[in-house]
DNA sequence: GCTCTTATTGATCAAATGATCTATTATGAC
DNA sequence: GTCATAATAGATCATTTGATCAATAAGAGC
């Protein structure tokens, strides 16, 4: 059961092989944590451990590549446009944004790698949250304030509360591994609805 | 700078020493993660690594003791009583509960150990969440439904949304290490208020 | 002050792990 | 088919790490 037909040496172009490694590494480290061993990863790739070091100078180097792959392009450039689109009620914009946003990040890999790296104190996490706030949440907050007018809309801390309530669904599912609704859309929309209701937003 | 006056051997009663170890272990593992080494822990205790094995059969055994110490008695028996106390409006009950609950769990140690062990798949986490739901959240949900009457109160998934929005404050602070309000009470109360408002609860 | 119990130390083992280096061989170019 | 390039394997090193055990000495009781 140890090494079956493992001696079939297959040769790949460097770019292709590199991507194979990063892909599998993302899946692997999201499962077992950032301290997963290079040996176990190489086994899952059907490849020698030493091969990893032909593509990455160190394990930290490989992890950095994983972070980049996982974080990169998760924040769609369409979302700031959507949030600023005043032809739609803010409520509808918020719903669409969070439907798409949760669709993008509610995956086993993303949720867990984000948590693992957050706990490890990765600077990348704070940078990501900073971008998210600046590009999506602060504009959303401003749009809601504008729509609320004299009634006084939400402050950023309120927006973070909305955000947290929604993201927590993913945490329950992928970090705590407890049952959640199969379809995320209904609870997400309900959360946005309640939030808008409480601020009297259209 | 290595070992100063480290050869001062101090003797403690077993119970006392055991508690010293568990206390320091909780602080240690919450910082560096569950893969922190027994050697580094023993250094912080000013004690030999082998001493740890005089009190715990294995590292897993020590970790279990840490989990127990961190989780035990976090859920106050007063809370179910508070939640069921119909001499107060549900809104007020919910506020008090979450003020006290966040006061109990919003610590560096608790938040991070809970995350670390959650990611590690610890059964203890799911059991804790099960207890929390059964003893606090489900009764709270029922009380809110009762108070809402014909208007139709929240479902459990709504309660989880309220809960998540509040807990997320602690996650931001202790896991992601990003700025949060110094005083948790205002955002917590605001979240409960919005939630109750949206369900038309007194 | 002496003795006895046992909390604690120091040395050590075996396995695991990140990393390196040379030998091998698959693949494309001609 | 032959050759040269370089992708890959295999062996190996130096640390790290969980765990064990005999030796030591701190502190209580007499």
């Amino acid at each position: 059961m140890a090494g079956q037909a493992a001696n079939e040496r297959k040769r790949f172009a460097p770019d292709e092989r590199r991507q194979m490694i990063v892909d599998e590494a993302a899946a692997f480290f999201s499962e077992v944590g950032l301290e997963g061993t290079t040996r176990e990863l190489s086994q899952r790739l059907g490849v020698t451990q030493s091969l990893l070091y032909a593509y990455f100078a160190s394990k930290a180097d490989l992890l950095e590549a994983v972070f980049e792959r996982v974080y990169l392009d998760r924040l769609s450039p369409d979302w700031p446009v959507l949030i600023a689109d005043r032809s739609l009620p803010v409520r509808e914009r918020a719903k669409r944004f969070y439907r798409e946003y949760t669709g993008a990040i509610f995956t086993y890999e993303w949720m867990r790698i984000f948590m693992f790296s957050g706990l490890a104190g990765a600077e990348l996490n704070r940078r990501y949250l900073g971008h998210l706030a600046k590009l999506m949440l602060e504009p959303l907050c401003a749009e809601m304030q504008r729509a609320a007018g004299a009634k006084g809309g939400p402050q950023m801390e309120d927006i973070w509360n909305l955000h947290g309530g929604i993201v927590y669904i993913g945490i329950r599912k992928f970090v705590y591994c407890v049952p959640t609704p199969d379809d995320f859309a209904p609870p997400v929309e309900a959360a946005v609805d309640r939030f808008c209701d409480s601020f009297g937003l259209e």
Side-chain angles (χ1 to χ4, degrees), chain A:
Chain A
M1 194 183 285
Q4 33 195 31
N7 49 353
E8 294 172 21
R9 179 187 283 191
K10 186 68 197 300
R11 213 177 145 107
F12 290 93
D15 288 350
E16 193 180 352
R17 177 63 92 182
R18 188 189 161 90
Q19 182 152 339
M20 290 169 65
I21 293 176
V22 176
D23 284 354
E24 188 65 38
F28 174 64
F29 288 120
S30 69
E31 280 179 32
V32 306
L34 272 30
E35 304 80 11
T37 69
T38 55
R39 276 179 173 79
E40 194 178 341
L41 171 59
S42 69
Q43 275 182 16
R44 288 175 53 151
L45 279 159
V47 134
T48 337
Q49 180 235 7
S50 60
L51 183 64
L52 302 179
Y53 288 87
Y55 290 88
F56 301 93
S58 66
K59 186 185 167 184
D61 206 46
L62 169 57
L63 276 175
E64 206 171 317
V66 170
F67 290 166
E68 274 174 23
R69 197 202 78 109
V70 170
Y71 288 153
L72 209 67
D73 296 331
R74 289 281 166 163
L75 299 181
S76 164
D78 295 341
W79 293 336
V81 179
L82 166 66
I83 289 167
D85 178 8
R86 295 185 179 162
S87 72
L88 294 169
V90 253
R91 181 190 295 252
E92 181 58 26
R93 288 180 253 164
K95 276 190 194 176
R96 287 197 196 176
F97 166 65
Y98 271 112
R99 231 183 297 135
E100 294 185 29
Y101 183 65
T102 55
I105 69 163
F106 277 10
T107 70
Y108 188 86
E109 284 188 17
W110 197 94
M111 275 282 147
R112 292 177 64 90
I113 294 237
F114 193 79
M115 272 298 162
F116 277 124
S117 58
L119 284 165
E123 178 59 31
L124 212 56
N125 273 56
R126 285 186 288 277
R127 220 188 310 156
Y128 173 89
L129 287 174
H131 281 158
L132 177 73
K134 186 155 190 170
L135 274 68
M136 322 288 165
L137 304 189
E138 285 170 10
L140 179 63
C141 187
E143 287 297 309
M144 284 184 167
Q145 286 176 351
R146 184 179 173 280
K151 287 175 292 189
Q155 300 301 116
M156 266 310 286
E157 191 58 29
D158 300 318
I159 297 287
W160 280 117
N161 178 250
L162 167 67
H163 187 77
I166 290 170
V167 167
Y168 193 72
I169 301 172
I171 295 176
R172 278 194 289 150
K173 171 149 188 170
F174 298 111
V175 177
Y176 301 151
C177 300
V178 293
T180 60
D182 293 326
D183 185 2
F184 299 132
V188 167
E189 293 190 12
V192 173
D193 271 328
R194 276 197 299 278
F195 190 80
C196 291
D197 285 348
S198 71
F199 282 103
L201 295 168
E202 190 185 339

